[in-house]
Amino acid sequence: MELDLLPLNLPGVPDQRPLVIAGPCSAETEEQVMSAARQLSHNGIKIFRAGIWKPRTKPGGFEGNGEKALPWLQRVKAETGMLTSTEVATPHHVEAALKGGVDLLWIGARTSANPFAVQDIADALRGVDVPVLVKNPVNPDLELWIGGMQRINGAGIKRLAAIHRGFTTYDKTIYRNLPMWHVPIELRRRMPGLPIFCDPSHIGGRRELVAPLSQQAMDLGFDGLIIESHCNPDAAWSDAKQQVTPDVLSFILDKLVVRSVSDSTESLKSLRQQIDELDNDLIQQLSKRMRISREIAQYKKDHNVAVVQTGRYNEILDKRGAQGVLCGMSSDFMKAIFEAIHAESVRQQIEIINK
Ligand code: PEP
Ligand code: MN
């Protein structure tokens, strides 16, 4: 089912890449919300985020201030003119947020993994015109993500966007949530008119990763970024490690290199195709080389010659090293490659000799 979309058309927000949504993970206190909002607005941010209903993995943590925080968001809007956004997970949240004047709603990753919950939210949105952003489900299931957006769209929400926030993994990695970029890239291919935001804060889980992930998102042609920003990140009540100050956020945004979409996605695609073909050639050539190496092994076996002949090995390393340097690669790289090729070659020769 195709999505029936309209441009996000956000009042007061210039239509440029990236569209930036920024603000704290959670609305903690009115003062914390206001100080983040004032600094962000002073730095040119036009859309404010703050979670007021927080889905926490375990009970007992800070689960958000709930409706009590809605007037704080109203104050943000009144004093700074920024649009406000928050996460909704139930029809009650939708109703309260709309009544409280929140301008954009997003559906969190845990909620979008549950079709019943998304359908309940969609039903609560029927007849309302509000932009809705749907985060990817925690598991890398593109169909479920698309299905969630179809449910919201089916309720008449045409100002719709996706947020890529990475995918849960059990393995230890440098990321909090694996980016698995191919998933949003495939989403772009399937739903070309759908704006896609990247959430480098929840992908990275660490503030040092916010800048490189944001750049990667721009290089892949994403439309927007949603970034967690707090005036005193280390003291944040949730997601302290991944939040950046409003000034650091401005620094990150200033440094972003934003190329035109046609440049980044189209030429990237064709460059990647070339890389795929070259890798294919490399594998074919390596396999041919191994075949010849096995023939040599047969000869060595028939003539009782030792497998490794140091003179020949050194000659290969020296010659290939020099050739590689002439072609613009480092001699260390060439050495590593040819040592690995030689090791595999010796392994295959020993197999033949011991047959
Ligand atoms: C959030 O944006 O604060 C949040 C809870 O994100 P996610 O649903 O991506 O975990
Ligand atoms: Mn968060």
Side-chain angles (χ1 to χ4, degrees):
M1 190 177 90
E2 291 277 311
L3 296 174
D4 181 8
L5 299 171
L6 283 175
L8 286 179
N9 196 16
L10 304 168
V13 183
D15 186 17
Q16 61 186 33
R17 281 182 66 234
L19 281 174
V20 179
I21 303 173
C25 176
S26 305
E28 299 161 7
T29 65
E30 185 165 5
E31 291 63 43
Q32 170 255 3
V33 166
M34 289 315 299
S35 55
R38 287 189 194 110
Q39 286 200 38
L40 289 164
S41 168
H42 178 259
N43 293 356
I45 299 297
K46 304 285 185 211
I47 314 170
F48 186 73
R49 65 150 281 159
I52 65 178
W53 295 283
K54 299 301 300 175
R56 306 309 297 272
T57 304
K58 289 187 176 146
F62 171 60
E63 298 197 320
N65 279 299
E67 279 168 60
K68 186 175 115 199
L70 284 167
W72 309 345
L73 295 184
Q74 280 167 1
R75 195 171 155 204
V76 167
K77 189 168 170 141
E79 282 191 26
T80 69
M82 278 193 283
L83 300 181
T84 58
S85 62
T86 201
E87 171 172 346
V88 290
T90 67
H92 169 71
H93 296 164
V94 172
E95 218 175 283
L98 292 174
K99 222 165 103 199
V102 176
D103 301 290
L104 282 87
L105 307 177
W106 83 79
I107 297 178
R110 291 156 196 80
T111 309
S112 60
N114 179 351
F116 293 125
V118 177
Q119 190 58 53
D120 284 347
I121 293 172
D123 294 341
L125 285 165
R126 206 169 286 281
V128 179
D129 178 22
V130 64
V132 177
L133 282 56
V134 181
K135 287 198 169 196
N136 63 257
V138 285
N139 49 322
D141 185 339
L142 177 61
E143 300 311 317
L144 191 58
W145 193 5
I146 291 177
M149 289 184 284
Q150 287 172 336
R151 289 177 195 278
I152 302 298
N153 193 230
I157 299 292
K158 297 190 179 179
R159 295 192 292 153
L160 193 65
I163 301 175
H164 168 234
R165 52 76 82 194
F167 303 92
T168 303
T169 168
Y170 186 69
D171 299 325
K172 272 236 150 309
T173 72
I174 61 160
Y175 304 107
R176 176 175 173 191
N177 291 296
L178 287 180
M180 304 177 88
W181 295 103
H182 60 280
V183 179
I185 289 171
E186 177 62 8
L187 176 65
R188 167 58 40 96
R189 196 186 67 75
R190 298 260 302 268
M191 309 270 156
L194 177 76
I196 308 182
F197 285 71
C198 177
D199 176 346
S201 311
H202 288 91
I203 295 177
R206 296 195 281 139
R207 58 184 72 108
E208 314 83 82
L209 292 178
V210 172
L213 287 165
S214 301
Q215 184 59 56
Q216 202 159 351
M218 288 302 101
D219 294 344
L220 292 172
F222 280 55
D223 306 275
L225 297 169
I226 175 166
I227 300 181
E228 288 189 340
S229 178
H230 190 292
C231 292
N232 185 3
D234 286 330
W237 297 3
S238 58
D239 289 351
K241 288 204 192 89
Q242 70 195 35
Q243 305 207 52
V244 294
T245 64
D247 284 346
V248 167
L249 174 66
S250 293
F251 180 76
I252 292 171
L253 295 174
D254 286 348
K255 288 257 171 294
L256 274 186
V257 181
V258 184
R259 300 177 189 88
S260 86
V261 178
S262 50
D263 273 13
S264 51
T265 39
E266 277 317 300
S267 52
L268 203 65
K269 210 166 117 195
S270 90
L271 289 171
R272 290 213 164 114
Q273 249 161 17
Q274 291 183 49
I275 290 278
D276 288 349
E277 280 163 30
L278 288 168
D279 282 352
N280 194 29
D281 288 352
L282 275 175
I283 294 169
Q284 298 296 325
Q285 294 296 334
L286 279 173
S287 141
K288 265 192 219 161
R289 194 186 189 282
M290 293 302 157
R291 203 165 54 238
I292 301 209
S293 184
R294 287 198 300 273
E295 278 178 36
I296 293 178
Q298 193 59 50
Y299 178 91
K300 284 176 178 165
K301 186 178 182 181
D302 296 345
H303 296 82
N304 226 2
V305 180
V307 167
V308 180
Q309 295 184 306
T310 325
R312 170 71 178 147
Y313 178 43
N314 286 338
E315 180 196 322
I316 288 184
L317 285 188
D318 289 349
K319 276 199 184 151
R320 306 296 186 265
Q323 267 175 289
V325 170
L326 282 176
C327 295
M329 289 171 281
S330 78
S331 61
D332 282 352
F333 171 67
M334 295 310 292
K335 190 161 172 267
I337 293 279
F338 278 93
E339 275 172 357
I341 292 176
H342 186 257
E344 174 64 10
S345 196
V346 167
R347 191 190 67 75
Q348 297 212 11
Q349 290 201 347
I350 287 173
E351 244 176 43
I352 301 276
I353 297 213
N354 290 334
K355 252 192 196 153

